[in-house]
Amino acid sequence: MIIEGAHVVTVTGEEYPDGHVVVDGNRITAVGPGRPERGDHTVVDGRGCLLTPGFVNTHNHLFQWVTRGLAADNTLFEWLTALYPVWAGIDEHAVHTSASGALSQLALTGCTTASDHHYLFPRDGGDVLGAGIRAAQDVGLRFHATRGSMNLGQRDGGLPPDHVTEDLDAIMAASEAAIDRWHDPSPDAMLRVALAPCSPFSVTGDLMRVSAELARARGVLLHTHLAETIDEEDFCRERFGCSPLDYVEGLGWTGDDVWFAHGIHFDDDGVKKVGATRTGVAHCPSSNARLGAGIARTRDLRDAGARVGLGVDGAASNEAGSLLEEVRHAVLFARAVGGPTALSVRDGLELATMGGAAVLGRAGEIGSIEPGKLADLALWRIDGLGHADVHDPVAALVLGAPPPLDLLLVDGKPVVEQGRVVTVDTEAIARECTAVHRTLLEKAS
Ligand code: ZN
């Protein structure tokens, strides 16, 4: 396939206002200005469009899509306490339906690689991790499933009710089984697995420590929520006598194989530590603002050397579930707190692409438009009313209204065409999401 005539943003510094990209199989084989030799390639007319790398979502909870709009005006701890009983009702069907909705919305907003943090495993829920993976395969996105966990219930001073927690041995057996069954370390993998104990207030230190040991023995990444709210900071100071970052550092949880969701409340030393250890941060501006949690120090973290990507977070705290909106919010919120030069529109695009690829350990495979990289691409139409006269096409995408997505390629295959997901029936999914939402509320009442 050749896409030609588009404004091509490679994200490696080069831009081609009338450029082309050649895709052979699942890889990009050429990029440059003007029109290439056509040979027997299919040609996509990209005139009036902006071509970017596909976006990488570094933090999400797909099962939350069907629990949107609850506790809409509450803090994180209040919101979690309201939602745990609803989430306790999930099963394979609920998760497959919910994930299909969330992943379709991600595809429509430019996402080609999605990660999922699944931490809730009801005893009679069936294979809920596998259900999310099946949904990713149905929609056609590159997928990083994380086997999450909670083992610190209210009985032991944690936040979640005891019946939604598991015991440590069961978690470790399931984690190992998930790696055996699904993790694909190959360079063009469509599916990888990471381990993800949920947060300092819902898991024990022992679970964090043994999860890190297993992940390192098996060569998979580590993910958790960290430094999201002041309530979490207070919990850690009271229980462990230190900050959340110092606590998890002592458990082996910093390094280039670790990424934290949120990372808002780091002090200057914390920012330095995260940067010096090349730890990753999934910045989730919409969710953080929705829960009034604060805003991560994106610019400082990047300057310190941290790997920073973007995440929509679970849709229960970000009803839009739009990865493009995260780019816009990352830029706007960074400037709202850090001034006009805190983050450029191209920095925002870089966070969503190369930044996310680096967070998921895939900077060599995805995240930019370069020969040899996987063909994960987004072609945005910017010649309509909303964008045609915006001087800078990248500003049109990042600061303007969400433009129509003409084409989304994942691994060289179309997932979105002319603003519609072509792999699954999104209208049927929406109907089923409504039914599952009702069922979960009834179960919880
Ligand atoms: Zn989260």
Side-chain angles (χ1 to χ4, degrees):
M1 179 188 291
I2 294 171
I3 303 169
E4 62 179 30
H7 184 108
V8 178
V9 187
T10 64
V11 194
T12 57
E14 303 290 333
E15 288 187 27
Y16 304 105
D18 177 19
H20 70 268
V21 169
V22 183
V23 172
D24 284 297
N26 69 342
R27 285 189 190 277
I28 297 164
T29 52
V31 53
R35 306 285 194 274
E37 282 292 318
R38 292 189 167 194
D40 55 1
H41 289 94
T42 309
V43 176
V44 174
D45 182 359
R47 283 176 298 173
C49 294
L50 174 70
L51 184 67
T52 67
F55 296 167
V56 179
N57 187 31
T58 59
H59 185 64
N60 199 353
H61 313 286
L62 296 174
F63 71 92
Q64 294 182 7
W65 182 262
V66 291
T67 63
R68 288 179 292 161
L70 299 167
D73 304 305
N74 295 83
T75 67
L76 174 71
F77 279 19
E78 292 164 353
W79 171 88
L80 280 169
T81 305
L83 279 153
Y84 285 135
V86 181
W87 295 336
I90 60 170
D91 58 14
E92 275 183 44
H93 174 68
V95 173
H96 181 262
T97 303
S98 190
S100 299
L103 290 164
S104 295
Q105 174 70 353
L106 282 171
L108 288 167
T109 58
C111 174
T112 51
T113 298
S115 66
D116 180 36
H117 184 178
H118 191 99
Y119 54 82
L120 211 134
F121 295 84
R123 278 164 191 75
D124 53 358
D127 181 13
V128 289
L129 192 66
I133 290 170
R134 255 190 309 123
Q137 290 165 339
D138 294 346
V139 177
L141 297 192
R142 207 176 291 286
F143 195 56
H144 285 222
T146 73
R147 208 299 176 181
S149 49
M150 298 196 291
N151 75 331
L152 186 68
Q154 284 167 359
R155 184 179 47 210
D156 302 311
L159 192 70
D162 297 315
H163 69 276
V164 298
T165 62
E166 304 171 274
D167 73 62
L168 190 147
D169 291 342
I171 290 166
M172 296 319 295
S175 299
E176 185 132 38
I179 298 168
D180 289 341
R181 184 169 170 200
W182 287 303
H183 182 65
D184 176 2
S186 70
D188 51 1
M190 287 295 288
L191 178 59
R192 286 195 183 161
V193 171
L195 302 187
C198 192
S199 61
F201 51 84
S202 61
V203 306
T204 61
D206 279 348
L207 176 58
M208 299 283 287
R209 196 178 295 110
V210 292
S211 294
E213 284 166 9
L214 176 61
R216 283 169 182 145
R218 297 298 304 270
V220 304
L221 302 182
L222 288 163
H223 181 45
T224 192
H225 292 99
L226 201 79
E228 181 176 2
T229 62
I230 297 296
D231 287 342
E232 176 199 328
E233 174 95 19
D234 292 345
F235 177 93
C236 287
R237 292 210 179 272
E238 205 167 290
R239 195 173 168 104
F240 314 117
C242 60
S243 72
L245 179 61
D246 289 343
Y247 168 59
V248 300
E249 186 193 28
L251 300 167
W253 272 74
T254 49
D256 62 5
D257 59 349
V258 176
W259 87 102
F260 301 138
H262 309 302
I264 296 169
H265 299 285
F266 295 136
D267 59 15
D268 290 347
D269 283 348
V271 168
K272 261 188 228 154
K273 195 175 284 180
V274 171
T277 53
R278 295 281 296 145
T279 305
V281 174
H283 176 41
C284 306
S286 301
S287 169
N288 298 155
R290 152 80 151 83
L291 292 165
I295 283 301
R297 299 168 61 180
T298 326
R299 175 61 184 264
D300 295 341
L301 285 163
R302 278 159 60 91
D303 288 350
R307 297 168 295 127
V308 184
L310 297 181
V312 299
D313 203 359
S317 62
N318 178 8
E319 279 72 4
S322 158
L323 196 46
L324 177 59
E325 193 169 89
E326 297 313 303
V327 183
R328 184 166 191 260
H329 285 168
V331 171
L332 296 181
F333 298 171
R335 291 184 193 179
V337 296
T341 59
L343 214 61
S344 73
V345 293
R346 281 168 177 76
D347 289 339
L349 190 58
E350 200 267 348
L351 286 173
T353 54
M354 274 311 292
V359 166
L360 295 185
R362 304 197 72 166
E365 306 152 54
I366 56 173
S368 63
I369 303 181
E370 294 177 85
K373 284 215 164 174
L374 292 163
D376 293 2
L377 298 165
L379 187 67
W380 309 90
R381 181 151 289 286
I382 51 166
D383 59 357
L385 178 67
H387 312 88
D389 57 342
V390 178
H391 180 72
D392 173 355
V394 177
L397 177 70
V398 175
L399 299 178
L405 185 57
D406 258 19
L407 179 67
L408 186 79
L409 291 183
V410 182
D411 215 42
K413 298 184 196 75
V415 171
V416 175
E417 289 177 337
Q418 313 305 323
R420 293 182 69 87
V421 178
V422 294
T423 46
V424 292
D425 179 350
T426 52
E427 283 162 23
I429 290 169
R431 283 193 297 274
E432 199 52 39
C433 283
T434 311
V436 170
H437 171 80
R438 288 204 190 108
T439 305
L440 289 177
L441 290 188
E442 278 162 22
K443 271 186 172 180
S445 65

